Amino acid sequence: MSDIITVIAPVNIAVIKYWGKRDEDLILPLNDSVSATLDTSIMCAKTSVCARADFKEDAIWLNGKKESFDSPRLQNCLGEIKLRAAAEKSVSEDFLQRKVHVCSENNFPTAAGLASSAAGYACLVTALAKLYKVKSDVSSIARLGSGSACRSVYGGFVRWHAGINPNGTDSVATQIVDSTHWPEMHALILVVGDTKKKTSSTVGMRIATQTSELLKHRVKYCVPERTEEIIQAIRQKDFPKFAEITMKDSNQFHAVALDSYPPCVYMTDVSHFIVDLIHKYNTASGSVKVAYTFDAGPNACLYLLKDEVPKVISLIKHVFPTSKPESFITGLSSGEEVLSPALMSISEPQVQDLIKYVIHTKVGEGPTEITDGSHLLNEAGLPKTE
Amino acid sequence: MSDIITVIAPVNIAVIKYWGKRDEDLILPLNDSVSATLDTSIMCAKTSVCARADFKEDAIWLNGKKESFDSPRLQNCLGEIKLRAAAEKSVSEDFLQRKVHVCSENNFPTAAGLASSAAGYACLVTALAKLYKVKSDVSSIARLGSGSACRSVYGGFVRWHAGINPNGTDSVATQIVDSTHWPEMHALILVVGDTKKKTSSTVGMRIATQTSELLKHRVKYCVPERTEEIIQAIRQKDFPKFAEITMKDSNQFHAVALDSYPPCVYMTDVSHFIVDLIHKYNTASGSVKVAYTFDAGPNACLYLLKDEVPKVISLIKHVFPTSKPESFITGLSSGEEVLSPALMSISEPQVQDLIKYVIHTKVGEGPTEITDGSHLLNEAGLPKTE
């Protein structure tokens, strides 16, 4: 049996957004957040780890390129896992002293701003936890890598509790329902061409925390109420309620980013066009059939139930003509449906390639160990691609 | 002496924004607002009014076209002026019974979303007040035509008090300082090409009032504090403080519009590009030299002191190439200044015609009666253009 551990871990897209930290070093958020974990068969991070006595140094390769292991976030994650292993006495003192090799890659474009760091750190921490045989919940360790990574440690729908302890021990993720609870929940990620320079999430959150008056109100009043309401909607599989809260919370997150000084703007004219299109679609449908949510970038994530997918795909193809029809829709396969004249008329086709491509996916499971031997490290503990 | 009264009235651009009504019929706002009145020699509404015994009906011509007098806002304004005249016994009962003719036009494009209704109703109400010899403050009557029109009744810097009376009698404008207090205050209005359909201010405010959680916080806490601070900055001619509050309040107004459900979005990618450019300019200048503010549309209004104008005009010409250089800058004349390499480098030139034209103006006086006989109505009381 190989001493290499390989894990795949999912992306998650929040429906109640995380924005603003109460502690930057420990990555402790101002408010709770809620997300759906997306199917690893469509988008995932994959990480192999290995610890051997003959390794000379800790080493990491990301997407085929050797990177520095000095990053504080990386050091924090490895250090905390080792502390946990020592406390749990899960491995020998000798094993703890060994250097580790880490090789990680995403099966989707990292440049597209699709929560790659959440998947990446959830994957790394889960792989290390297996390597060091840590049994306890590691979401608080994934959080040290990238805040929202703590949510990718579980499948289904997940809540990240902000916690109140200054040391962050209670800032952990818990699963609301697993991926079998609402299997009809699908997602369409509309990747919008983006040439704008953006403020990083870390900087954007810092500015918002320091300057936005509205963020304080959001954190104190809006998020606590919405969190309880959306959890109830998820448990009851109440799509219209789930969708309404999701859309309102996305808008409010971007509102507080705009209320920052200087303002942070992540959505573009195309993003707002999509928002408008979804509201028109829902109005024409007579009920709320699709929800949009936007992270700190222009891409839209649409949540919708499986039955609605063919119609929405047809609408997207109608409104957003593409120069690459063969690769425009990726991920899960889905049919198309002839649009009613009412739906056809909600928007004229726009100029070509406003949307680069669409990823069709669904809610899925948490990190999983890969046991088929398809490791990213070879027998020498080095990247197979090197 | 002619029995025709002709008045010109100014546009005003708010620095503390009005957004949301506590009473839609009476046009009573949720919060105080503060604006600068802009020079009528650059942009103004002009209105002639006349009341004669032989007129068969109340009639109004707007920008050369006969319009219905049935609009409730128009009826309210005329009705209130007549009530006030009756109470003040300023004209005879016979005069009050006469029908009126109104002819009004703007000397700037009404389509550009440049507060034309504020200038128009301030002009109408001031002209009617002179016609009926009403002596008392008419800002509360202008308010019935278009909320922000009450601010255009005065020159200089003006505060619109939200008031608390249900009947709106205390929702009036007062002058903070007149136009001679800070004569160095100039404005550049950047007219952005706009092809997007927008939500009207009336509808946008209604949605915000009904749905935005953040608006409540803004109204209760942010605006009262900012109003006092900006009035102090205006009195002390503290430009950096004035500018910072102006920019923050513009951003917050657009944030609450975005927090509405469905969201209202008035700024475009070009608007946000201008915001970013101004922040970069201020950073490169080492202090806050320019403020931006955006109403319910994509156009930017920049406030800046006279000395800064040549440099900023040069920057705008550098960053926003135009296909119509001869008519790109209108209004007050101003030199240009060679930009330092540091300022040249804050932005590359963008694609042509992102900005249609720029209006250079300054803070000016309130409505003024025109006594040179250049009425819009002829001797028969009909539009001269007909």
Side-chain angles (χ1 to χ4, degrees):
Chain A
M1 192 180 145
S2 166
D3 62 345
I4 302 170
I5 301 283
T6 298
V7 166
I8 57 169
V11 161
N12 74 81
I13 306 281
V15 291
I16 300 292
K17 299 294 189 189
Y18 152 50
W19 199 249
K21 300 186 180 83
R22 62 183 169 96
D23 186 308
E24 279 219 31
D25 294 327
L26 295 174
I27 312 190
L28 299 174
L30 288 173
N31 58 266
D32 284 26
S33 53
V34 174
S35 62
T37 294
L38 300 182
D39 192 345
T40 49
S41 76
I42 310 301
M43 296 163 77
C44 72
K46 183 175 185 178
T47 301
S48 293
V49 293
C50 178
R52 289 185 194 165
D54 61 332
F55 285 167
K56 299 283 183 251
E57 55 165 13
D58 294 329
I60 186 164
W61 292 264
L62 292 179
N63 295 308
K65 205 176 143 218
K66 191 169 183 187
E67 304 277 354
S68 164
F69 215 101
D70 287 343
S71 123
R73 293 182 169 205
L74 199 52
Q75 291 286 346
N76 282 346
C77 288
L78 179 60
E80 285 295 316
I81 286 282
K82 284 186 172 182
L83 279 176
R84 203 74 78 81
E88 293 182 17
K89 296 192 193 335
S90 58
V91 293
S92 67
E93 189 57 37
D94 169 65
F95 192 85
L96 277 178
Q97 296 300 325
R98 295 180 183 180
K99 300 296 182 186
V100 297
H101 280 189
V102 176
C103 188
S104 184
E105 57 187 40
N106 297 323
N107 74 341
F108 58 96
T110 46
L114 296 171
S116 54
S117 67
Y121 275 106
C123 204
L124 170 73
V125 167
T126 306
L128 290 174
K130 288 184 187 291
L131 184 69
Y132 292 98
K133 304 188 198 308
V134 168
K135 293 282 175 256
S136 54
D137 172 75
V138 293
S139 71
S140 65
I141 304 178
R143 193 201 72 228
L144 295 170
S146 172
S148 58
C150 72
R151 296 188 310 240
S152 273
V153 165
Y154 295 102
F157 287 85
V158 181
R159 174 182 190 162
W160 174 11
H161 303 260
I164 52 170
N165 293 347
N167 63 3
T169 50
D170 57 349
S171 187
V172 298
T174 55
Q175 190 176 61
I176 298 165
V177 293
D178 71 22
S179 62
T180 64
H181 170 74
W182 205 354
E184 303 84 4
M185 183 65 82
H186 280 227
L188 295 173
I189 298 167
L190 279 53
V191 178
V192 172
D194 175 37
T195 55
K196 286 177 67 177
K197 219 166 42 179
K198 288 172 301 186
T199 312
S200 75
S201 295
T202 299
V203 173
M205 285 191 204
R206 188 183 303 146
I207 299 172
T209 304
Q210 289 168 351
T211 66
S212 172
E213 290 295 320
L214 301 184
L215 178 59
K216 294 173 193 159
H217 185 77
R218 163 173 169 74
V219 165
K220 196 166 176 186
Y221 299 102
C222 304
V223 170
E225 192 176 322
R226 284 179 182 174
T227 300
E228 298 309 324
E229 281 182 4
I230 206 165
I231 287 172
Q232 199 180 5
I234 292 165
R235 289 194 196 285
Q236 297 174 345
K237 299 200 263 187
D238 178 346
F239 185 83
K241 189 76 192 158
F242 167 83
E244 183 181 322
I245 299 170
T246 295
M247 292 187 274
K248 285 183 173 174
D249 206 68
S250 175
N251 294 333
Q252 190 172 83
F253 148 47
H254 290 278
V256 299
L258 181 56
D259 184 54
S260 306
Y261 187 78
C264 298
V265 175
Y266 296 104
M267 294 171 75
T268 65
D269 288 350
V270 177
S271 310
H272 291 297
F273 184 90
I274 294 167
V275 165
D276 196 44
L277 186 71
I278 299 307
H279 282 289
K280 284 176 177 159
Y281 182 86
N282 287 333
T283 300
S285 300
S287 69
V288 181
K289 296 289 190 185
V290 185
Y292 56 78
T293 186
F294 293 80
D295 281 351
N299 304 321
C301 177
L302 307 183
Y303 282 110
L304 70 178
L305 298 181
K306 188 181 179 184
D307 286 351
E308 205 68 17
V309 172
K311 217 183 285 184
V312 174
I313 292 268
S314 298
L315 179 72
I316 292 169
K317 286 186 169 181
H318 166 65
V319 178
F320 299 107
T322 177
S323 61
K324 293 173 182 164
E326 69 291 344
S327 58
F328 187 58
I329 311 286
T330 67
L332 298 172
S333 62
S334 58
E336 286 184 48
E337 202 172 307
V338 176
L339 294 177
S340 67
L343 282 179
M344 278 291 279
S345 70
I346 64 173
S347 173
E348 294 291 310
Q350 300 299 298
V351 297
Q352 209 175 48
D353 295 328
L354 282 188
I355 290 181
K356 289 203 272 188
Y357 59 96
V358 177
I359 303 170
H360 176 198
T361 182
K362 61 182 170 63
V363 175
E365 293 178 16
T368 313
E369 185 168 356
I370 299 295
T371 53
D372 65 358
S374 65
H375 304 303
L376 299 175
L377 294 168
N378 63 22
E379 306 240 316
L382 293 170
K384 285 183 175 172
T385 52
E386 277 219 330
Chain B
M1 192 178 144
S2 167
D3 62 344
I4 301 169
I5 300 283
T6 298
V7 166
I8 57 170
V11 161
N12 75 80
I13 305 282
V15 292
I16 300 293
K17 299 295 189 190
Y18 152 50
W19 199 249
K21 300 185 181 84
R22 62 182 168 94
D23 186 309
E24 279 220 31
D25 293 328
L26 295 175
I27 313 190
L28 299 174
L30 288 172
N31 59 264
D32 284 24
S33 53
V34 173
S35 62
T37 294
L38 300 182
D39 193 345
T40 48
S41 75
I42 312 301
M43 296 163 77
C44 71
K46 184 176 184 178
T47 300
S48 293
V49 293
C50 179
R52 291 186 194 165
D54 63 331
F55 286 168
K56 300 280 183 255
E57 54 164 14
D58 292 329
I60 186 165
W61 292 265
L62 292 178
N63 294 307
K65 206 177 143 216
K66 190 167 184 189
E67 303 279 353
S68 163
F69 215 100
D70 286 343
S71 123
R73 293 182 170 207
L74 200 51
Q75 291 287 346
N76 282 345
C77 287
L78 179 60
E80 285 295 317
I81 286 281
K82 285 187 173 183
L83 279 177
R84 203 74 78 82
E88 294 182 16
K89 298 194 194 327
S90 57
V91 292
S92 67
E93 187 57 38
D94 170 64
F95 193 86
L96 276 178
Q97 296 300 325
R98 296 180 182 181
K99 300 295 182 187
V100 299
H101 280 190
V102 176
C103 187
S104 186
E105 57 187 38
N106 297 322
N107 74 341
F108 58 94
T110 46
L114 296 172
S116 54
S117 66
Y121 275 105
C123 206
L124 171 72
V125 167
T126 305
L128 290 174
K130 286 184 189 292
L131 183 68
Y132 292 97
K133 305 188 197 308
V134 168
K135 294 281 174 255
S136 54
D137 173 76
V138 293
S139 71
S140 64
I141 302 178
R143 195 201 72 229
L144 294 171
S146 172
S148 58
C150 73
R151 296 188 310 241
S152 274
V153 165
Y154 296 102
F157 287 86
V158 180
R159 175 181 189 161
W160 174 11
H161 303 261
I164 52 170
N165 293 347
N167 63 2
T169 49
D170 57 348
S171 187
V172 297
T174 55
Q175 190 176 58
I176 298 165
V177 292
D178 70 22
S179 62
T180 64
H181 170 73
W182 205 355
E184 303 84 4
M185 183 65 83
H186 280 226
L188 296 171
I189 298 168
L190 280 52
V191 179
V192 172
D194 175 36
T195 54
K196 285 176 69 177
K197 219 169 35 184
K198 288 172 299 187
T199 312
S200 75
S201 294
T202 299
V203 173
M205 285 192 204
R206 188 182 304 146
I207 299 171
T209 304
Q210 289 168 352
T211 66
S212 172
E213 290 294 321
L214 300 184
L215 178 60
K216 294 174 194 159
H217 185 77
R218 164 175 168 71
V219 166
K220 195 166 177 187
Y221 299 102
C222 303
V223 170
E225 193 175 323
R226 284 178 182 174
T227 300
E228 299 308 324
E229 282 182 3
I230 206 165
I231 287 173
Q232 198 179 8
I234 291 165
R235 290 194 196 284
Q236 298 175 344
K237 299 200 263 188
D238 178 346
F239 185 82
K241 190 75 192 161
F242 167 83
E244 184 182 321
I245 299 170
T246 296
M247 292 186 274
K248 284 182 173 174
D249 205 67
S250 175
N251 293 332
Q252 190 172 84
F253 147 47
H254 290 278
V256 299
L258 181 55
D259 184 54
S260 306
Y261 188 78
C264 297
V265 175
Y266 297 104
M267 294 170 76
T268 65
D269 287 350
V270 178
S271 310
H272 291 296
F273 184 90
I274 295 167
V275 165
D276 197 43
L277 186 72
I278 299 306
H279 282 289
K280 283 176 179 159
Y281 181 87
N282 287 334
T283 301
S285 301
S287 69
V288 180
K289 296 290 191 185
V290 185
Y292 55 77
T293 185
F294 293 81
D295 282 351
N299 304 322
C301 176
L302 308 183
Y303 282 110
L304 71 178
L305 298 181
K306 188 180 179 185
D307 286 352
E308 206 68 16
V309 172
K311 218 183 283 182
V312 174
I313 292 269
S314 299
L315 179 72
I316 291 169
K317 286 187 168 181
H318 166 66
V319 177
F320 299 107
T322 177
S323 61
K324 294 174 182 163
E326 70 289 344
S327 58
F328 188 57
I329 311 286
T330 67
L332 298 173
S333 62
S334 59
E336 287 185 47
E337 201 171 308
V338 176
L339 294 175
S340 68
L343 283 179
M344 278 292 279
S345 70
I346 64 174
S347 172
E348 293 291 310
Q350 302 298 298
V351 297
Q352 210 174 45
D353 295 328
L354 282 187
I355 290 181
K356 288 203 272 188
Y357 59 96
V358 177
I359 303 170
H360 176 198
T361 182
K362 61 182 169 61
V363 175
E365 293 177 16
T368 313
E369 186 170 355
I370 298 294
T371 52
D372 65 357
S374 67
H375 304 303
L376 299 175
L377 294 169
N378 63 22
E379 307 238 318
L382 293 170
K384 286 184 175 171
T385 52
E386 274 216 334

